[in-house]
Every structure is written in C-alpha cells, then in structure tokens.
Amino acid sequence: MSPRRAGSGPGMERVTRIRVMRERIAAIHRAGGKIAFVPTMGALHEGHLSLIREARRCGTATAVSIFVNPLQFGPAEDFERYPRDPEGDREKCAAEGVDLLFEPEAAEIFPPGHATTVRMGPVGEILEGAARSGHFDGVATVVAKLFLIVQPQVALFGQKDYQQTVVIRRLVRDLDFDVKIAVLPTVREPDGLAMSSRNRYLKGEDRKAAAALYRALREAQAVAAAGGPDPRKIEAAAKRVIEAEPRMALEYIRAADPETLAPVETRDKPFVLLLAARVGPVRLIDNIMIG
Ligand code: AMP
C-alpha cells in the first residue's frame, strides 16, 4: 500500500474492530505514511469538521474515531441520551475525505473485566474535574487506548474543551506518547455560542440565553484590552454579564495559567479565562485567551 494522500485514496473505510484497525495502521506506516487522528464522540458539527480538515492538511492518512466513552460520564450524566447520529457522521466523514473511520462498540474498547485506568492527578481534579468527578480519568484512559490503537503522528483537539487539552498534553508527556498534539480554535455559531453536540438540547429562550456565555468572555477581553484591571476584576466583568441573564446559572469562572490552570493573580503574562454555566437542562463551558 502506498502512502495515500488524504481523500485521494479509494474512499473511506469503516472499521469497528481493534485488530482490523491495527492492520490498516501498520500498512500505512509500512508505506511511510503519517497518520493524523481526530478522536470524537460523534454527532459531528462544524467544530469537529474543522479538526478533520486540518488533519487532512497535516497527515497522509486521516483517521477519525467515534466513540461515546462511558468512562467519562458520571452516573447522573447523559451517557444514555448523548446525541448519536451514526449515519450523518459517516456521510460527513466520507465527504471530508477521511480515510479510516473507527467506530468501535463499547465492549470492543472496554470488554467485561476491563480494570486499568489512567489517573490524571491535580489537573484532572480542578474546575471541570471538580464538577465532574472522574471525568478526566475517563478521558485520559480512552485517549491513551486510542493512541495505542491508532498510533498517530498528530492528534487534533479543540480549544473549546480547554482543560481537556491541558490533560491530554500532560498525559502525552507523562506516558511518553510519541504524538504531536495540535489544538484548534473554537468554532462558533453566528451569535458566538461555541458549537457542541449538546447544543441540540437547547430550545427556544434557553438557546437565545446561551449566547451570554460568549458575550461574557468578550466583555472580559474588552475590559482587559482597555488595560489595567487585575484578573479578579476581569472575572467580575464577565460574571456581571452572566448574572444579567436570568436563565443562566454560573458554576465557575477562573482566570488561569494556560499550562497549569492554577489561578493567576497578576497580568504579567497571558491567561485563559474559563467558565461553566447552566442554562435550562444544559451545562455549557467556554473559554478565551486574554493578553
Ligand atoms: P467531542 O465529540 O465533544 O468529544 O469533541 C471532539 C473534539 O472536537 C474535541 O477535541 C473537542 O474539543 C472538539 N470540538 C468540540 N466542539 C468544538 C468546537 N466548537 N470548535 C472546535 N473544536 C471543537
């Protein structure tokens, strides 16, 4: 098999078994090909597609996984009703020139008796990790398994899930995965709401109210650009925007070090402003770089 240019090969192959995936990956590597990998939970939208398009630019073969990972959902969370659209996802991946679409069953990845998990430590326990106990251990475990199966040279993630990118970089460093991590900008709806598979739960007034999240981040950015205020005041400016939206309940807002996510006290260097809020039945997260 010669190294295929993404999209110019004989078309997309769907793979459900780990053994078959390993064979395909080995063939690509033997031929000198380079694999760019986009792990997802499906219900694909433009945010996912932006990662896939970039993957096509940086690999000779593009692999996408669709796996709703039970390990990263808490017992009270929406695993069962997480949006699923296998037909639509296949069409989108084929149209984008994906070479390998890996869509394993849950029991293929976590067969009965599976017991080994990754523990992320502090960076997985703050912010999202505090609100969703065990979430990042579940993310790290499945991403580690997927990296071992797909053996990508590059893996692409969205800035939308900022803490997840910090966790993945930590995982790659700590376990010596030989993979380059690329993080791409958040793709947004026209009113600024970050695209997310869960946005389809947002109806009517809740959907309109959800735009306050990005408005809050932009307000923080504007306050920061005007110069001066310390991170607490920048957080407060964003908080006021959220609190002005009665349908929205703020969970946290934090000006954090971009690498460690520790709270920042000064404006000596750029920081990331992270927030989480509830609107109606949906928990939303978003973030923006400041400075
Ligand atoms: P998910 O299917 O939600 O697990 O997301 C799969 C990948 O797509 C993750 O790396 C996400 O950060 C990324 N992603 C999700 N939403 C967006 C978005 N609006 N813009 C850019 N990337 C995104």
Side-chain angles (χ1 to χ4, degrees), residues 20-42:
V20 176
M21 197 66 185
R22 286 195 194 285
E23 285 169 11
R24 299 297 179 270
I25 298 292
I28 293 166
H29 281 155
R30 264 200 310 277
K34 183 171 142 183
I35 292 157
F37 176 44
V38 180
T40 82
M41 299 207 300

Side-chain angles (χ1 to χ4, degrees), residues 210-224:
L213 215 61
Y214 187 56
R215 274 207 310 279
L217 293 175
R218 291 303 299 265
E219 172 65 13
Q221 212 173 36
V223 167

Side-chain angles (χ1 to χ4, degrees), residues 1-10 24-35 59-62 99:
M1 192 181 185
S2 62
R4 285 197 271 148
R5 255 283 127 213
S8 64
R24 299 297 179 270
I25 298 292
I28 293 166
H29 281 155
R30 264 200 310 277
K34 183 171 142 183
I35 292 157
T60 42
T62 304
D99 298 284

